Amino acid sequence: MRVVTDDLTHPDVIALVELHLKAAFENSPPGSVFALDLSGLRDPAVTLWTAWEEGALLGMGALKRLDAEHGELKSMRTAPAQLRRGVAAAMLDHLIAEGLARGYRRLSLETGNNAPFAPARALYARAGFVECGPFADYTDASFSRYYTLALDPDV
């Protein structure tokens, strides 16, 4: 598996972003979708990485800079044909390592609280993320669940 910084031009990456958004809207109530579209992923505060194997897109994950010490995980998605191969765990490990390399003291994320988001919540819990309250500009407390991981033991 090769993880690369992505420029959002490959058709398979664009299709995976579109699938990610479609699933978010299908599985979340109105007003509770915070997934980034292509323009949001192109924001200078966001870096997207994709995982590849022999020309096949395996998955993606993004990191958004909230401030000098805090990053947000965004757009975690495994390509449907690549499920159950450890892609999400490998991408999460990459994002955590990148957060450490950037000097972040904390990584946080928002996800849904219903059954379709259960695998994501389990993945984050296995990696040491713990539930927290809304962060950054989030206010939704009815559907969203928030998680954080201290990268600095003093946090």
Side-chain angles (χ1 to χ4, degrees):
M1 181 181 315
R2 179 176 53 93
V3 178
V4 299
T5 305
D6 202 279
D7 64 3
L8 292 155
T9 58
H10 193 286
D12 292 349
V13 174
I14 293 169
L16 188 58
V17 170
E18 290 171 354
L19 173 74
H20 183 65
L21 286 167
K22 181 178 183 229
F25 281 100
E26 287 174 351
N27 294 302
S28 306
S32 294
V33 175
F34 303 104
L36 297 176
D37 60 13
L38 289 170
S39 65
L41 289 168
R42 289 185 176 114
D43 183 300
V46 177
T47 306
L48 178 76
W49 289 271
T50 50
W52 299 84
E53 184 177 77
E54 297 178 9
L57 176 62
L58 305 180
M60 67 181 185
L63 191 55
K64 179 179 181 180
R65 182 184 190 277
L66 298 176
D67 62 42
E69 297 182 343
H70 194 184
E72 179 183 3
L73 302 185
K74 300 294 292 180
S75 302
M76 288 279 298
R77 176 63 63 168
T78 300
Q82 307 300 330
L83 293 171
R84 307 288 177 246
R85 296 192 51 214
V87 174
M91 183 58 73
L92 183 56
D93 287 347
H94 177 82
L95 295 175
I96 292 169
E98 183 63 30
L100 284 164
R102 291 180 178 193
Y104 294 158
R105 298 181 72 191
R106 175 176 304 283
L107 292 176
S108 300
L109 65 97
E110 176 277 335
T111 191
N113 70 6
N114 60 357
F117 296 95
R121 293 191 308 269
L123 172 72
Y124 300 132
R126 283 193 304 273
F129 283 79
V130 295
E131 284 197 61
C132 65
F135 61 93
D137 295 330
Y138 292 105
T139 58
D140 176 48
S142 61
F143 177 75
S144 292
R145 298 269 287 279
Y146 304 95
Y147 292 84
T148 195
L149 176 68
L151 300 177
D152 180 333
D154 295 329
V155 173

